[in-house]
Amino acid sequence: MAEPKRGWFQRLTEGLTKSSKQMGDQIAQVFVAKEPLTQAKLDELEEMLIEADLGPHSAARITERFAAEKFGKDVDEAEIREALAKAVGDELTTREGAFEPMSGPRPYVVLFIGVNGSGKTTTLGKVATDLVRQGAKVLVVAGDTFRAAAVEQLKVWAERAGAEFMGRPTGSDAAGLAFDAVQTAKEKGYDVVLIDTAGRLQNKHGLMDELLKIIRVVKKVDPDYPHETLLVLDATVGRNALAQENIFGNQIGVSGIVMTKLDGTARGGVLVPVAQASDSPIKLIGVGEGVDDLQPFNARAFARSLVGLEEPVR
Ligand SMILES: Nc1nc2c(ncn2[C@@H]2O[C@H](COP(=O)(O)OP(=O)(O)O)[C@@H](O)[C@H]2O)c(=O)[nH]1
Ligand SMILES: [Mg+2]
């Protein structure tokens, strides 16, 4: 993604309001005045993190880090927020990954995978828009050949972005389309190829097989294809995102995670256990439906906005 535009932290913060409001309110309830950090208060904090879907392991680790710094000391709400943001940020900094198609080989081939409704098509559209703005020659490929509406939806995004679009009638072979697309892109000097896929249920074997087939056939054009397989996860499903990460990670292989809909949920904390569980980093986050609502994942900024803090002074 391009350098975040001015105001991106505000969009992140606004996006995360439900999560940060929940946590913010609880912090305010637990720490009413400046008072010593006791075990009882730590337990309440841990419980609060679990409720925000950070999961028992992440919650315990974060609480420990936090206790190491503050236990027994007089603390007020503001310090708690800062310390909590630091602890969450420390958990996540090693889980940041950059999505930089323009720094990679040409054409840079990116596959978007994930269950139905997770935000694949929307994310692809946002990425296409951003890349075209950077001057890239982008090919958008409608690999979700199951539903006519999915093809149409992607076409609209491609047209708006000013990207080239490649699709086939409903029911066509997605792998065949992907093969033709990467070959075309190679011949015609495209910079980036973005391949959408069907929103499949991860427990349907036939659907996993189709994804593997897409990967297999694009590798026939170049064994390095796809350069990226981005798993798109919807934060509003909470802990279910962990199960999805597990299945797609193990069965398909993933190079990066996109977590969407962080604007629509009190469960934004689920990003933490997902980041911890996955072998691949979090690369992008979605905080809205608009074209500018996709951001590079920044662990510190995410942690700050999650606990309801302002942008740090740089
Ligand atoms: N609020 C919000 N909605 C999103 C975000 N990303 C995607 N959506 C919406 O989620 C719905 C499903 O997205 P879509 O891209 O069609 O999912 P797909 O089935 O995985 O391709 C659409 O209504 C999108 O506008 C996001 O970051 N925030
Ligand atoms: Mg779709």
Side-chain angles (χ1 to χ4, degrees):
M1 302 298 293
E3 260 312 286
K5 286 169 201 65
R6 217 175 123 64
W8 70 275
F9 185 85
Q10 281 72 19
R11 278 206 307 280
L12 172 62
T13 311
E14 283 159 22
L16 275 166
T17 28
K18 281 191 190 150
S19 287
S20 60
K21 188 174 182 330
Q22 173 179 308
M23 213 176 290
D25 287 353
Q26 285 175 330
I27 293 171
Q29 276 165 25
V30 177
F31 297 92
V32 186
K34 197 171 174 95
E35 54 196 344
L37 182 59
T38 60
Q39 188 57 47
K41 300 243 179 239
L42 279 173
D43 290 346
E44 283 191 73
L45 276 173
E46 190 170 338
E47 190 51 41
M48 178 182 95
L49 295 174
I50 292 170
E51 273 175 42
D53 268 348
L54 275 87
H57 300 299
S58 301
R61 261 198 319 273
I62 289 166
T63 313
E64 271 166 37
R65 268 173 203 252
F66 178 69
E69 205 178 301
K70 296 283 180 192
F71 192 78
K73 293 183 187 158
D74 270 352
V75 284
D76 62 19
E77 192 189 318
E79 286 170 89
I80 294 288
R81 279 183 210 276
E82 287 291 343
L84 200 53
K86 184 171 181 305
V88 174
D90 286 347
E91 284 275 300
L92 291 174
T93 40
T94 60
R95 311 304 308 135
E96 268 176 15
F99 177 64
E100 287 169 342
M102 296 300 277
S103 314
R106 308 275 158 99
Y108 195 80
V109 178
V110 187
L111 195 63
F112 291 77
I113 65 170
V115 303
N116 236 344
S118 61
K120 290 177 298 299
T121 303
T122 307
T123 301
L124 193 159
K126 292 169 179 174
V127 168
T129 307
D130 183 64
L131 289 170
V132 171
R133 280 179 188 162
Q134 290 180 59
K137 187 173 169 184
V138 179
L139 181 61
V140 164
V141 187
D144 183 354
T145 53
F146 281 154
R147 296 180 304 130
V151 177
E152 209 34 56
Q153 181 195 2
L154 189 64
K155 196 172 180 186
V156 169
W157 270 106
E159 277 167 7
R160 240 186 299 158
E164 210 56 50
F165 174 82
M166 197 164 159
R168 295 264 165 90
T170 316
S172 301
D173 178 37
L177 170 63
F179 179 86
D180 290 348
V182 292
Q183 202 153 41
T184 301
K186 200 175 173 181
E187 284 164 14
K188 298 200 172 161
Y190 278 85
D191 297 314
V192 185
V193 185
L194 305 173
I195 306 173
D196 198 9
T197 61
R200 54 213 57 231
L201 292 170
Q202 70 272 28
N203 54 10
K204 297 234 171 98
H205 287 300
L207 300 168
M208 281 294 161
D209 287 347
E210 183 177 294
L211 277 184
L212 291 170
K213 188 174 162 199
I214 291 174
I215 293 171
R216 221 165 38 236
V217 303
V218 298
K219 281 192 187 304
K220 286 185 184 159
V221 179
D222 186 321
D224 288 340
Y225 295 171
H227 300 99
E228 292 257 10
T229 302
L230 294 181
L231 173 61
V232 181
L233 297 173
D234 171 353
T236 64
V237 305
R239 309 265 309 156
N240 206 304
L242 270 172
Q244 291 172 19
E245 188 287 318
N246 187 20
I247 289 164
F248 281 94
N250 288 332
Q251 296 197 25
I252 309 297
V254 165
S255 67
I257 291 170
V258 182
M259 185 149 273
T260 63
K261 308 190 198 177
L262 281 166
D263 54 306
T265 181
R267 300 168 141 188
V270 74
L271 184 142
V272 178
V274 166
Q276 295 291 351
S278 178
D279 293 332
S280 39
I282 312 277
K283 297 202 166 175
L284 300 167
I285 58 171
V287 294
E289 294 182 274
V291 34
D292 291 317
D293 295 325
L294 188 71
Q295 306 182 347
F297 175 60
N298 177 314
R300 298 264 168 227
F302 173 82
R304 289 186 74 79
S305 61
L306 187 66
V307 301
L309 279 169
E310 300 293 309
E311 187 168 16
V313 184
R314 297 173 198 235

